[in-house]
């Protein structure tokens, strides 16, 4: 299978799950190059499981994932062509932030130490962490660790990043700043962003295209621009996902 032009990630007939109990059945969708695409859904709907399949950490029951310039991420060997931010930031705790960012450069490039240092500095500058190279992750706030994780995801200059719950656990102001950073990277670098998120505010600010997963359906309940789905979807489950306040309105006695 070849990825269509203008497409960053193509998923065809993907079924995932365990033994007799598939979790998601026959998913097909594509992520457009240069877009900010979200995987949405209630708790337990399979977002993180799908995320792991997209980045090639797990093998599907059937179907496949193709990434432009990478092919099948399960088979991908060699220099990673996409960046990943794991939910916990994924920074190695006993290494300084600078050493964490340098690791992929040591592994995959022939840059000299001072050249690596310059790349690390530039990437940290991009996420507002200039001068924090010598800090350990534990010496940074949650929001700074997330930004550090994003800097590391960008260190090899990918065209595509996968972000798992980037705003989770952050206060609303810090989460909004992180969203601004993601938007800037998308607009200025043309970075394609695939993210898992729960946060309605982030969806509103960032997301132009999404899939909404549903556990009962074992698949995609809705696909498209969340702003449109929220008001135009004929499915009340979809409108309720985007407007949960309508569900919590107390009944008039
Ligand atoms: N390795 C596994 N073996 C069996 N079941 C699993 C495994 N991993 C996840 N599951 C189940 O699959 C379902 C979906 O899990 P997943 O973590 O993908 O959901 P999620 O949408 O990311 O939820 P949340 O929003 O709470 O993070 C859950 O019921 C979970 O228990
Ligand atoms: Mg999850």
């Amino acid at each position: 299978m070849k990825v269509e032009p203008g497409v960053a990630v193509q998923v065809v007939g993907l079924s995932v799950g365990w033994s007799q109990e598939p979790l998601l059945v026959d998913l097909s969708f594509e992520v457009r190059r240069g877009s900010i695409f979200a995987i949405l859904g209630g708790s337990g709907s399979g977002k993180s499981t799908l995320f792991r399949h997209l980045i090639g950490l797990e093998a599907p029951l059937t179907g496949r994932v193709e990434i432009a310039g990478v092919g099948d991420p399960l088979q991908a060997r060699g220099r990673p062509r996409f960046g990943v931010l794991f939910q916990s930031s994924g920074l190695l705790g006993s290494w300084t932030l600078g050493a964490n960012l340098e690791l992929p450069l040591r592994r995959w490039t022939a840059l000299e130490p001072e050249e690596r240092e310059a790349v690390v500095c530039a990437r940290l500058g991009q996420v507002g962490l200039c001068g924090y190279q010598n800090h350990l992750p534990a010496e940074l706030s949650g929001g700074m660790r997330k930004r550090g994780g994003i800097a590391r995801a960008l260190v090899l200059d990918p065209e595509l990043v996968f972000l798992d719950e980037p705003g989770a656990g952050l206060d609303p102001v810090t989460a909004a700043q992180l969203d601004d950073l993601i938007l800037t990277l998308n607009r200025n670098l043309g970075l394609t962003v695939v993210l898992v998120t729960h946060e309605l505010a982030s969806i509103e600010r960032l997301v132009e295209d999404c899939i909404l997963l549903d556990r009962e359906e074992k698949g995609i309940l809705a696909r498209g621009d969340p702003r449109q789905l929220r008001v135009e979807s004929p499915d009340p489950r979809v409108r309720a996902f985007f407007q949960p306040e309508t569900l919590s309105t107390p009944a008039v006695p």
Side-chain angles (χ1 to χ4, degrees), residues 135-240:
H135 287 243
L136 290 170
E139 296 165 348
L140 303 171
S141 72
M144 291 163 98
R145 275 200 294 276
K146 289 277 168 105
R147 282 186 279 145
I150 290 180
R152 191 182 55 178
L154 293 174
V155 86
L156 292 174
D157 262 330
E159 288 177 18
L160 168 66
V161 290
F162 294 90
L163 312 175
D164 193 359
E165 305 260 12
L170 302 180
D171 68 78
V173 174
T174 311
Q177 287 167 349
L178 195 64
D179 288 345
D180 284 342
L181 169 66
I182 294 168
L183 260 186
T184 306
L185 294 170
N186 169 257
R187 302 231 167 110
N188 294 357
L189 305 180
L191 192 70
T192 307
V193 179
V194 178
L195 73 153
V196 173
T197 182
H198 265 116
E199 318 287 326
L200 287 174
S202 292
I203 296 169
E204 185 70 33
R205 276 192 292 264
L206 293 180
V207 177
E208 50 194 292
D209 193 9
C210 73
I211 52 172
L212 176 59
L213 299 180
D214 185 76
R215 192 172 178 130
E216 308 276 285
E217 297 284 332
K218 296 191 193 303
I220 299 174
L221 200 55
R223 157 82 198 262
D225 181 334
R227 286 162 211 82
Q228 283 177 0
L229 292 175
R230 186 173 61 192
V231 287
E232 290 171 12
S233 172
D235 188 332
R237 293 172 296 177
V238 175
R239 297 197 307 273

Side-chain angles (χ1 to χ4, degrees), residues 48-71:
S48 295
T49 305
L50 177 60
F51 186 89
R52 292 195 300 275
H53 282 81
L54 294 183
I55 63 176
L57 285 184
E58 285 178 23
L61 299 173
T62 60
R64 58 189 300 166
V65 174
E66 289 278 331
I67 296 184
V70 174

Side-chain angles (χ1 to χ4, degrees), residues 22-99:
L23 179 66
L24 298 167
V25 178
D26 200 20
L27 295 197
S28 294
F29 64 91
E30 75 299 319
V31 176
R32 285 190 299 277
R33 263 200 150 111
S35 65
I36 300 183
F37 182 95
I39 300 167
L40 308 176
S43 198
S45 58
K47 303 180 296 297
S48 295
T49 305
L50 177 60
F51 186 89
R52 292 195 300 275
H53 282 81
L54 294 183
I55 63 176
L57 285 184
E58 285 178 23
L61 299 173
T62 60
R64 58 189 300 166
V65 174
E66 289 278 331
I67 296 184
V70 174
D72 179 351
L74 260 184
Q75 309 296 331
R77 297 284 179 268
R79 178 173 166 151
R81 303 283 298 272
F82 55 83
V84 179
L85 170 72
F86 291 99
Q87 193 167 342
S88 57
S89 91
L91 296 171
L92 301 173
S94 54
W95 291 40
T96 64
L97 185 58

